[in-house]
Amino acid sequence: MNIAIFVSGSGTNCENIIKYFADSESVNCALVVSNKPDAYALVRAGNLGVPTAIAPKEDLHNPDVMLPLLRKYDIGFIVLAGWLPLIPDFIIEAYPRRIVNIHPALLPKYGGKGMWGHHVHEAVKAAGETETGMTVHWVTPVCDAGEIIAQFRVALSPDDTVDDIAEKEHQLEMEHFPKVLEQIINQLKS
């Protein structure tokens, strides 16, 4: 199955996923799409030989641009890995239950508009949470509201800084996200 990874930032998850599936006979990282031309994820993908595309807002919301792009690479599954814009409805309709997102908290807590990256970890710290984690969920037209596929947790200490919380959560992403993707894709193919 050819997958596309949509990313807005530095791309550590993107790189991790590409490397995880590098020798896979069932999953091929065929395309990396970013809404930001300066996203370091594009460099990471290029260094690993994965084609890249830039989808600024006007392209992202244009079915005559995005659907042909995804067809060109025979994309069967889309992974949002640090992707910030909402996915347009026409892409969700073209890929029903074939788009997943990773969120850096235990949804439904700390989800929704404006809750990404450090904003999430700051909210977790401010609330005095004793644990945090990552959530993989299906993408729907409502931000962070799709059905939860998997969650992984990590304990927090009152002494943890926002950066400590971010690092603990990121370690969960590095360990678990590619494995969850593999399970989902293998279930789709069976």
Side-chain angles (χ1 to χ4, degrees):
M1 170 133 9
N2 284 346
I3 68 170
I5 304 170
F6 283 36
V7 62
S8 296
S10 70
T12 53
N13 268 305
C14 176
E15 180 177 56
N16 191 38
I17 292 164
I18 293 168
K19 287 180 175 178
Y20 184 86
F21 290 116
D23 298 321
S24 174
E25 293 183 11
S26 59
V27 178
N28 174 43
C29 296
L31 178 66
V32 170
V33 177
S34 182
N35 61 312
K36 297 183 176 181
D38 60 346
Y40 193 69
L42 297 169
V43 175
R44 293 179 193 267
N47 288 343
L48 294 169
V50 177
T52 62
I54 298 165
K57 188 173 186 175
E58 57 275 9
D59 287 355
L60 177 64
H61 291 278
N62 185 341
D64 296 329
V65 173
M66 292 305 294
L67 296 179
L69 173 67
L70 297 170
R71 279 194 295 268
K72 175 182 176 184
Y73 291 94
D74 193 26
I75 300 302
F77 193 83
I78 298 172
V79 177
L80 309 186
W83 173 260
L84 297 180
L86 283 175
I87 294 294
D89 290 353
F90 71 85
I91 296 177
I92 295 171
E93 290 163 10
Y95 290 87
R97 287 184 74 86
R98 288 184 173 258
I99 308 173
V100 297
N101 182 43
I102 187 170
H103 187 76
L106 297 168
L107 290 175
K109 288 183 173 182
Y110 311 110
K113 187 171 172 58
M115 293 305 283
W116 55 272
H118 242 58
H119 303 290
V120 173
H121 306 307
E122 289 166 355
V124 167
K125 175 69 176 172
E129 294 286 356
T130 58
E131 67 176 1
T132 192
M134 61 165 274
T135 302
V136 180
H137 66 91
W138 294 110
V139 172
T140 67
V142 179
C143 182
D144 295 331
E147 178 188 341
I148 293 170
I149 299 166
Q151 289 185 314
F152 299 91
R153 300 168 185 273
V154 62
L156 298 178
S157 152
D159 299 329
D160 284 337
T161 65
V162 172
D163 287 341
D164 294 335
I165 293 168
E167 179 58 29
K168 286 182 173 185
E169 187 278 328
H170 190 66
Q171 290 303 317
L172 291 177
E173 293 178 1
M174 294 294 102
E175 180 181 351
H176 297 290
F177 195 26
K179 295 174 191 171
V180 171
L181 295 174
E182 187 172 42
Q183 290 169 354
I184 296 166
I185 293 167
N186 285 338
Q187 286 172 356
L188 287 174
K189 292 168 59 178
S190 61

